[in-house]
Amino acid sequence: MPRPARFRPALSRRARLGATTVAALVAGTAVFGVGQATAEHSVPRTDKEIPNLTQVQDKIKAYYGDTVTADGEHYASPHSNYARQVRGIEAKARTYLSKALARHDRAGKQTKPAIVLDMDDTTLLTYNYELQVGFHYTEESQDKYLAHTDMDPVFGMNRLVNWAHAKGAEVFFLTGRKEAQRDWSVRNLKNVGYGVPLDRRHVYLKNKENPPAYLPCGGTCTTVEYKSGTRKHIESLGYHVVANFGDQYSDLSGGAGDRTFKLPNPMYYLP
């Protein structure tokens, strides 16, 4: 985030789509069955090629184990298929980091090992916000939500991050959220258990009005340019990015990182 209005045409920077539609667009391969649209044939010829929007939303809710409180708030269940999938990714990341950090220590490298993590749906779960706004993002609704509400941590990611930091990894957060949301974002991370440094040296937000000099694209960067350029900047400060975490492929593309870990997110697609 930030993001455009949901289900708008392709000119929007962030498009809200069904899970299978997103998979096809991101992977660039045909994942649909017979009679359904593919990434190569993205303009449907008939209505039969379009996933039913209500059914897609119902599947998303089931995947997250939608839980509704007495006051109408929606939360993902720790027993959901989403939570189980995330736990599997975290287990692989922990195994990898244990070895990568140990190798780094044995090699006696001058650089310090680091991990870089996206924020929305990588370290903080947007599910409650998404359901509250009916999958219809606006900057105004996001600002209102973040100003007064803490998003839950993505299941187990706070523990993984704290563990990696204790093992010697420097932790950096790199988000597409705008600079004006810094205080709310840092407050949220602290309140849900991310016990790592959260100053300006460790938390990077997008500043279109005053972009940093290390980004040649300035305020017009694509997501890939902004994120990969910032990771390269982090490495220029004397760190070596051993792992990069994100829920979008654009969080992970562009280099500057030994290994990437993709978190699941069927709710939206960010090119």
Side-chain angles (χ1 to χ4, degrees):
M1 300 193 296
R3 339 171 253 210
R6 200 173 318 263
F7 306 119
R8 287 192 175 173
L11 55 84
S12 295
R13 200 171 73 87
R14 190 168 192 170
R16 299 283 166 160
L17 301 166
T20 49
T21 307
V22 168
L25 286 171
V26 172
T29 58
V31 298
F32 289 99
V34 176
Q36 292 180 300
T38 67
E40 291 77 18
H41 179 67
S42 57
V43 179
R45 290 165 296 188
T46 72
D47 64 304
K48 294 181 178 62
E49 295 180 354
I50 305 173
N52 182 278
L53 182 56
T54 300
Q55 291 178 341
V56 169
Q57 291 183 353
D58 287 345
K59 286 184 177 181
I60 289 173
K61 292 177 184 179
Y63 170 64
Y64 282 93
D66 187 49
T67 303
V68 186
T69 64
D71 57 359
E73 296 292 318
H74 289 258
Y75 293 95
S77 168
H79 308 293
S80 64
N81 287 338
Y82 166 76
R84 281 190 283 272
Q85 188 175 356
V86 167
R87 283 195 292 270
I89 295 167
E90 289 166 356
K92 291 179 181 177
R94 188 179 289 249
T95 298
Y96 162 75
L97 286 171
S98 294
K99 297 176 181 177
L101 295 175
R103 282 196 303 269
H104 195 280
D105 288 343
R106 288 195 302 269
K109 293 184 178 180
Q110 302 262 328
T111 56
K112 183 172 182 178
I115 62 173
V116 176
L117 305 104
D118 173 52
M119 200 170 292
D120 290 305
D121 294 299
T122 300
T123 49
L124 298 175
L125 185 58
T126 71
Y127 184 75
N128 177 260
Y129 164 75
E130 299 290 353
L131 270 290
Q132 190 174 112
V133 300
F135 295 99
H136 183 71
Y137 165 88
T138 64
E139 284 196 10
E140 294 76 15
S141 67
Q142 188 195 43
D143 282 347
K144 182 178 178 181
Y145 188 94
L146 295 178
H148 303 290
T149 309
D150 285 335
M151 293 178 174
D152 287 336
V154 169
F155 296 113
M157 283 300 290
N158 50 354
R159 293 188 295 274
L160 178 66
V161 167
N162 293 342
W163 170 85
H165 186 253
K167 290 291 184 179
E170 199 75 8
V171 177
F172 295 93
F173 295 91
L174 173 55
T175 176
R177 289 186 182 186
K178 58 190 178 184
E179 178 62 33
Q181 296 172 332
R182 176 177 294 277
D183 289 347
W184 305 332
S185 301
V186 168
R187 178 210 70 215
N188 194 162
L189 289 168
K190 285 181 179 177
N191 287 348
V192 298
Y194 287 95
V196 296
L198 295 170
D199 55 30
R200 289 180 176 270
R201 291 177 53 249
H202 294 86
V203 181
Y204 290 84
L205 291 93
K206 201 165 191 179
N207 192 336
K208 287 186 177 181
E209 291 73 27
N210 297 289
Y214 58 77
L215 290 176
C217 46
T220 64
C221 290
T222 65
T223 301
V224 173
E225 289 172 334
Y226 161 62
K227 296 215 167 184
S228 64
T230 304
R231 290 194 301 274
K232 291 171 185 174
H233 168 69
I234 290 170
E235 291 201 321
S236 76
L237 299 176
Y239 298 96
H240 180 76
V241 179
V242 296
N244 179 27
F245 295 78
D247 64 291
Q248 303 290 322
Y249 288 100
S250 53
D251 296 330
L252 308 174
S253 301
D258 289 351
R259 181 161 174 179
T260 61
F261 290 90
K262 170 74 168 62
L263 278 293
N265 182 0
M267 294 186 290
Y268 53 83
Y269 166 59
L270 176 57

